[in-house]
Structure formats: structure tokens, C-alpha cells
Amino acid sequence: MYAPERQQEILRLARDGGRVDVVSLAEEFQVTAETIRRDLKALDRAGLLRRVHGGAIPAGRLDFEPDLAERETTAADEKDRIAKAALAELPADGTVILDAGSTLARLAAALPPETSLTVVTHSLPVAARLADHPGIQLHLVGGRVRHRTRAAVDAWALRAYGEIRADVAFVAANGFSAEHGLTTPDLAEAAVKRAAVAAARRVVLLADSSKHGQEHFARFGGLGDVDLLITDSGLSPEDTAALARGGTEVVRA
Amino acid sequence: MYAPERQQEILRLARDGGRVDVVSLAEEFQVTAETIRRDLKALDRAGLLRRVHGGAIPAGRLDFEPDLAERETTAADEKDRIAKAALAELPADGTVILDAGSTLARLAAALPPETSLTVVTHSLPVAARLADHPGIQLHLVGGRVRHRTRAAVDAWALRAYGEIRADVAFVAANGFSAEHGLTTPDLAEAAVKRAAVAAARRVVLLADSSKHGQEHFARFGGLGDVDLLITDSGLSPEDTAALARGGTEVVRA
DNA sequence: ACCGGTCATGCCCGTTCATGCCCGGTCGTG
DNA sequence: CACGACCGGGCATGAACGGGCATGACCGGT
């Protein structure tokens, strides 16, 4: 196994599990701890991991509350399936907007290498994953970066989205329902999402079923703005039907 | 079998198996390892494969940039010392601009946790390192992202820098000399650096001594624009004195 | 058919890389 | 505050690398 392969795998393990430790990695890959330390150092220098005594934690973590880590990994499966399903909605050779959020980050990671696209995003983790994808023309939307979500917000971001027109926007929401629309806890972030939605001809909402019925502080649109919702099978058939009656197509991955 | 045929086949094998190695390819095709290396180099240059020690991996399979880590190992020591020395130039509680480049990334990683600063950058790696630094208000400059440097360039970036005013800009250059000023290989990137330099009251150039005397395609300023140069001890005392005569203070870390 | 030029390949050899081992220093936990 | 785990630098080693050169095949023009 080559060093970069091992490092890639370490990175994956770190992201999945929220942490890795030197000794078990050494065992896992059948190399000495020194080698693992070197790998971790390289990944740390590349800004992908944060080194800690005894191991490392992923640097790009969107959500680093320890108690949420477990829930995060259990939802990982749904999010991966949703991201996979979203691939089918990519235009053949056009422009897409990718919102911030862990599902979007997974979508970015899942883009096949032969993809040819123009991508616009205000999410740092999404940008980091796409920056070296050879087929992708990446445009970064600037702005003040919120620590919690690592997404750019405020004036620069709003203006940038106001100046472009994309084929599809893939957006995430912390809560969605027919009654209360699309909501998220932060006002500034909601404003950016609204601008992103307005900049696209077609809007695809990626949200696992646990988000359904939730409502948060800031609303950035109604379900009527959403052309397609991709969620998981946890959404009940009745809810699905209700949403479909509202004009939103629903895919349950 | 012709070389392009062989390369095509190597590419297919790499994509099928996820990896190839020099020795078995040499055996497989009944040629020497040198020939295979040349093939792999060609495919790497074409962006179809990623070369690793001992073989190659299909492009896009790794979602990080080994190139970045690799470049960091060159003159890593000097760069670390330069970054450390640059810490002394940070304002107590003001606004700084951080350019793209491995030395700047080191600087970002070396910021003490208790630092309180506003940071503006158009570099993705720098932003990734600072995004979760609690004391830092991070402002991301958007734009088209260049694959090679992971830095934002073009209209959005230029306009953003045109709208701000910072206490200090820390910039990097691929080449610097009293005669030819500050140069870099890419025009778009040079334009952004120029804008960053213009947006700051004080300009600090971080460049290891191997950059001295080099000149590249695009010039973004003269040494007269630089208030302070931080470099390593590889810069000869005569060169140091010559630069100092030009009005640029020099620190050799 | 001849001939200079280019290209692909092979061979040689000094250099670099990845890894393992060792040892003195540091961390953090009890 | 003491001890064990962890860290990082230094060194050794074998594999891989890559630049330079030679050889022979092919090509295009005369």
C-alpha cells in the first residue's frame, strides 16, 4: 500500500469516526507508529487533520460537539445515500451551486473523477474537496466565515450570488416542512441560502428525514421554492404525498 | 505495442484496480521499469493519473493534494523559521491579509491559540487552518480557484481587496530581487497579490532565500513596496545589505 | 536508396524516498 | 510528581527515481 493511499484511508477513518489514534492505525495498516506519525503530520500540514497527542481529529469537522459525534455517524449512511442520489441531478456540463453542510460535503466527495462542471460554493469544506478535482472549475464565494459551519456569509457572499445564474442549486436545511418552509438556526446563513436559491433555475433540497417537521430560527424559503427534495426512506409515505401535493417532487434514497 | 496503446492500457488498469505499480506493469508489458516510469509521468502530466512512489493512482481517487504536502517538504525548515519570525510582526489586535503559499500556510498553522485578529485571505489552505481558530475573525476572499495553488483569483478577489484596508499584508513571491521586483508565474495570481499589497498599510514579504534572484513571468510589485522582508540565513550579507540600501528592512530567521 | 532528425527504449549511476529503529525529551494522567 | 505513553530528530537501508547517454527503429525530404 502506498503512503498516499494510506493517508487517504486514515483521513476517511478520521472523518467517519471523528478521531483516530496512532497505535490502532499502526496495527490496522501493519506499519510502525513512526510511519503513522509521519502520515498524520503530512495530513496535518495539508490542513486536513488536526494532530493531537496520541492521534488526530478531522480538521474539516462541521460539528464537533462530542456528544453529537455518535448521532453524526449514524446519520452518515442516510447522508451518503442522499448524496449518491443527488449525483443523478447534476447537469451534464453546466453550473451548480453547492450549499454548506455535511450532506453537501459528501456530495462533493462523491463526484466522479470524470465529472466536468462549474461549481460555485460558499462552503470551505466543499471547496477544499473540489479544489484539486481536475474536471471542475471551482468558484469560491467569499465573505465572513462562520466558525461553526465554515461557510462564508454576509455582504460579499450575498453580492456574489446576486451576480450569477446557475443551472441547479443543491441546498441543505436544518429543518423543513410544508407549513414552515426551510429553516436554519442562523440569520446570516439563511440570507446566503436565500441568495443561492434565487441564483439557480432549479433547486434541489438535500435533507435526511430527521429534519422533517423541525423548525429553526431563520427561514430562507418555502417548499414551493424547492423543485426536488432528496431525502431518505425515513420520511413517511403520507408526508411524501403531502409534499408532492405542494408541487415538490420527492426522491427517497 | 505502441507507447500510447500501452499508456491507454495502463490507465484502464489503474482505473479498474484503483492502483498500479511500476514493477508489475513492467513485467506485464515486457518493458523495463524506466519505460513504465516515463508512461506514468506522461499520464501524470496529462492529469489522468497521480504518481506516487512505486506506482500510480487514478486521478481524483485521492481527495487531498499530495502535491501540496510535497511542496511543503521542500525547504520546510526555512519556511517554518520564517513563519515563526513573522509572528512577531502581527499587530496586537488588528487586521491582516494572508497571501497564498506554503509559507503562509505555515504561518496560519503557527498562530497561537490566544491570538485575536481579523484575517483576510484568498487562500483555501490558509482559510481551512484558520476557520476554527476561536480568536480569529476570518474573511474569505472569493473568486475562481486555481487548482495548482488553491487560491482564489479574478474579478471577485480583486474587488474584495479593493474594498478593504488592512494593517499588514503578509505576501509570498516565487521570485524577488532588487532589479526585477516581486514575480510569480501566473498573471491572475499576480493581479490578486498586487491588490492585496495595495490594501495594506504595511507589507511583509515572506520568501526563503532560494527565491532571491529568480524572476518569473508576472510581476506584481517592486521591492520598494515591501516594508519588511523575512527570509532565511541563506541570503548573503551582501544581498541583504543591497536590499537594505533600497529601503527594505531584512530579517534573516 | 540515402541521410539527418526524432522518438521510444534500455542501461548506468548518483540521488531521493519510505520506512524502521533508536534515544532523549515531553506530555498528561493518576 | 512520577511513570508510562507519546513525540520528534537522527541514522540506516533497500527500493524507487530520474537525468544522461547510447542504440536502433521510423519518418520525411532529397
Side-chain angles (χ1 to χ4, degrees):
Chain A
M1 173 174 251
Y2 302 128
E5 288 181 304
R6 196 177 48 237
Q7 291 165 12
Q8 167 72 27
E9 191 60 16
I10 290 173
L11 185 57
R12 200 186 59 74
L13 288 171
R15 284 181 173 155
D16 281 3
R19 56 188 299 280
V20 287
D21 77 277
V22 173
V23 190
S24 24
L25 287 175
E27 228 166 77
E28 169 94 16
F29 293 112
Q30 288 290 298
V31 293
T32 56
E34 286 90 327
T35 301
I36 296 296
R37 286 200 200 96
R38 276 185 264 248
D39 288 336
L40 295 183
K41 191 201 273 188
L43 290 166
D44 181 45
R45 280 226 251 251
L48 298 160
L49 285 187
R50 183 126 318 181
R51 193 73 164 79
V52 297
H53 198 80
I57 56 174
R61 233 173 145 53
L62 302 171
D63 216 350
F64 29 78
E65 270 102 307
D67 52 339
L68 283 183
E70 202 179 332
R71 192 170 64 88
E72 189 67 28
T73 38
T74 51
D77 206 29
E78 282 79 28
K79 290 180 178 187
D80 264 335
R81 283 209 308 279
I82 293 172
K84 281 267 166 57
L87 290 175
E89 304 300 323
L90 291 168
D93 191 24
T95 301
V96 304
I97 293 171
L98 296 186
D99 188 15
S102 55
T103 310
L104 273 300
R106 281 167 194 278
L107 171 56
L111 288 180
E114 63 273 15
T115 315
S116 168
L117 268 182
T118 298
V119 173
V120 182
T121 188
H122 62 285
S123 157
L124 221 34
V126 168
R129 289 180 193 194
L130 297 180
D132 60 350
H133 190 301
I136 285 185
Q137 174 83 273
L138 176 65
H139 290 269
L140 185 60
V141 167
R144 174 173 66 87
V145 177
R146 291 195 67 227
H147 289 127
R148 185 168 191 76
T149 58
R150 301 183 148 216
V153 296
D154 289 358
W156 283 350
L158 294 176
R159 185 172 59 187
Y161 278 127
E163 291 174 355
I164 61 168
R165 200 75 192 138
D167 296 313
V168 192
F170 292 88
V171 299
N174 296 67
F176 72 96
S177 69
E179 313 86 66
H180 305 105
L182 316 173
T183 57
T184 192
D186 185 77
L187 260 185
E189 204 131 343
V192 175
K193 284 173 187 285
R194 195 178 301 117
V197 164
R201 275 183 279 281
R202 177 176 159 79
V203 174
V204 178
L205 176 66
L206 307 185
D208 61 82
S209 57
S210 71
K211 310 288 176 59
H212 180 248
Q214 287 201 45
E215 55 178 320
H216 292 264
F217 174 58
R219 174 182 157 115
F220 63 94
L223 268 179
D225 298 322
V226 177
D227 297 289
L228 171 64
L229 163 65
I230 303 183
T231 186
D232 57 77
S233 46
L235 191 73
S236 73
E238 303 86 68
D239 290 333
T240 306
L243 293 171
R245 270 196 302 280
T248 302
E249 189 184 348
V250 180
V251 169
R252 295 194 299 164
Chain B
M1 171 175 257
Y2 301 125
E5 289 180 301
R6 194 178 49 238
Q7 291 171 12
Q8 198 57 40
E9 188 61 12
I10 289 173
L11 186 56
R12 201 186 58 75
L13 287 171
R15 287 190 169 146
D16 280 6
R19 64 201 300 273
V20 286
D21 77 277
V22 173
V23 190
S24 23
L25 286 175
E27 237 166 67
E28 169 94 16
F29 292 110
Q30 288 293 299
V31 293
T32 56
E34 286 89 333
T35 301
I36 296 297
R37 285 198 200 99
R38 276 185 264 248
D39 289 336
L40 295 183
K41 193 199 273 186
L43 290 165
D44 182 46
R45 267 213 272 267
L48 299 163
L49 286 186
R50 175 123 318 163
R51 192 71 163 82
V52 300
H53 200 81
I57 294 170
R61 198 178 171 78
L62 299 176
D63 59 340
F64 69 98
E65 184 66 68
D67 188 40
L68 200 89
E70 183 202 337
R71 225 178 324 156
E72 302 231 8
T73 59
T74 340
D77 266 4
E78 285 76 18
K79 290 176 179 186
D80 265 337
R81 284 207 307 279
I82 292 171
K84 281 268 167 56
L87 290 177
E89 303 300 323
L90 291 169
D93 190 26
T95 301
V96 303
I97 293 171
L98 296 186
D99 188 16
S102 54
T103 310
L104 273 301
R106 294 297 178 80
L107 172 55
L111 287 181
E114 65 275 13
T115 317
S116 168
L117 268 181
T118 298
V119 174
V120 182
T121 187
H122 62 285
S123 157
L124 222 34
V126 169
R129 282 174 167 82
L130 297 180
D132 58 354
H133 189 302
I136 286 185
Q137 176 81 274
L138 176 64
H139 290 269
L140 186 60
V141 167
R144 174 174 64 87
V145 176
R146 291 195 66 224
H147 289 124
R148 181 159 207 81
T149 59
R150 302 181 143 214
V153 296
D154 289 0
W156 283 350
L158 295 176
R159 185 172 57 185
Y161 278 127
E163 291 173 355
I164 62 167
R165 197 77 191 135
D167 296 311
V168 192
F170 292 88
V171 299
N174 296 69
F176 72 97
S177 69
E179 311 85 65
H180 306 106
L182 316 173
T183 57
T184 192
D186 185 76
L187 261 185
E189 206 131 342
V192 174
K193 284 171 187 286
R194 194 178 300 115
V197 164
R201 275 182 278 282
R202 177 175 160 80
V203 174
V204 178
L205 176 66
L206 307 185
D208 63 82
S209 59
S210 71
K211 310 288 175 58
H212 180 248
Q214 286 202 45
E215 52 177 324
H216 293 263
F217 175 58
R219 175 183 157 115
F220 63 95
L223 268 180
D225 298 321
V226 176
D227 297 290
L228 171 64
L229 162 65
I230 302 182
T231 184
D232 58 78
S233 47
L235 191 73
S236 73
E238 303 86 67
D239 290 333
T240 306
L243 294 172
R245 270 196 302 280
T248 301
E249 189 185 347
V250 180
V251 169
R252 296 195 298 165

